[in-house]
Amino acid sequence: SYVLTQPPSVSVAPGQTARITCGGNNIGSKSVHWYQQKPGQAPVLVVHDDTDRPSGIPERFSGSNSGNTATLTISRVEAGDEADYYCQVRDSSSDSYVFGNGAKVTVL
Amino acid sequence: EVQLVESGGGLVKPGGSLRLSCAASGFTFTNAWMSWVRQAPGKGLEWVGHIKSKPDGGTTNYAAPVKGRFSISRHDSRNTVYLQMNSLKTEDTAVYYCSTISTVTTSLFAFDIWGQGTMVTVSS
């Protein structure tokens, strides 16, 4: 089955840029989606199809995807961005869905 | 307002059964693909299964750990999707989220609406 690998944690100072990676075999050929989950809350879709933001998501959230790595970038990080972030793809060969292991973003 | 509300969670003994419900509102449910995603305490997100809309065949698929034990169904006139869980194991303990697939976004198979989740605890 398809595996997505994220770093367990990313630390960033307020106002700086956080980059969260998601590694997978030839992930650049897939559509990657990103979710933010704060403690005790349901996940929220923040980027879909590599680069698109749903309505209401700040422009500070952006994404890219190429080769074996997809990246979620959070610019001008705020304290409220502290959360777990998950990447996700669909595995069309098995009609199933795969999540990354999640990355905890800590704002210093 | 687009909303999903799960119910039916609780404490069940190993080997027991439980049925979760997810009531949808604010969008055209009959055309929506629906999914269940779970999260064990302190762990990451795990896809459980999905059901396509009836116009798209209404078929289901499940993750390997639950295949043969869990089943998903839908009642379109009630705007509700169900997760029937049988032969429950302690490792099924988790918050279970209901979600839509590519319903309010132009995404390719993203989970774009989530419910608040319902806790299922499997313990003797």
Side-chain angles (χ1 to χ4, degrees):
Chain A
S1 62
Y2 195 76
V3 176
L4 296 174
T5 302
Q6 300 180 243
S9 62
V10 173
S11 297
V12 59
Q16 298 304 301
T17 298
R19 294 180 179 84
I20 306 152
T21 59
C22 177
N25 184 35
N26 197 26
I27 196 174
S29 67
K30 299 181 180 295
S31 289
V32 179
H33 316 298
W34 292 91
Y35 303 86
Q36 176 194 68
Q37 185 180 33
K38 296 181 179 179
Q41 297 184 20
V44 173
L45 179 67
V46 293
V47 167
H48 66 86
D49 297 282
D50 302 338
T51 60
D52 296 340
R53 281 184 312 278
S55 175
I57 301 301
E59 292 183 7
R60 300 185 299 104
F61 290 84
S62 63
S64 63
N65 184 19
S66 178
N68 292 319
T69 305
T71 303
L72 174 70
T73 301
I74 310 173
S75 304
R76 302 180 299 283
V77 165
E78 303 173 356
D81 298 330
E82 195 162 273
D84 294 324
Y85 290 84
Y86 295 90
C87 56
Q88 174 254 317
V89 300
R90 177 177 181 252
D91 185 350
S92 58
S93 65
S94 59
D95 191 24
S96 64
Y97 300 81
V98 181
F99 286 96
N101 50 294
K104 182 176 181 60
V105 169
T106 299
V107 181
L108 301 171
Chain B
E1 180 192 5
V2 173
Q3 195 172 15
L4 297 172
V5 178
E6 301 96 335
S7 60
L11 175 63
V12 61
K13 289 183 167 51
S17 297
L18 205 59
R19 189 178 82 158
L20 306 183
S21 300
C22 171
S25 58
F27 61 93
T28 305
F29 182 79
T30 53
N31 294 334
W33 291 24
M34 302 298 297
S35 185
W36 289 91
V37 176
R38 69 183 180 182
Q39 186 171 36
K43 303 297 184 183
L45 301 173
E46 179 185 24
W47 172 74
V48 171
H50 73 260
I51 185 166
K52 297 180 181 179
S53 65
K54 287 192 174 129
D56 290 326
T59 56
T60 56
N61 197 21
Y62 304 93
V66 307
K67 194 169 286 189
R69 299 188 299 122
F70 290 12
S71 65
I72 299 173
S73 60
R74 62 191 298 154
H75 199 304
D76 286 352
S77 63
R78 296 177 183 170
N79 283 4
T80 301
V81 63
Y82 303 98
L83 177 64
Q84 177 67 43
M85 302 184 294
N86 299 328
S87 303
L88 281 160
K89 305 175 181 181
T90 55
E91 53 263 42
D92 295 319
T93 294
V95 174
Y96 284 75
Y97 294 102
C98 168
S99 67
T100 59
I101 301 172
S102 304
T103 296
V104 296
T105 61
T106 56
S107 66
L108 288 174
F109 307 106
F111 301 104
D112 50 9
I113 308 170
W114 294 71
Q116 84 288 351
T118 187
M119 183 70 202
V120 172
T121 302
V122 184
S123 174
S124 54

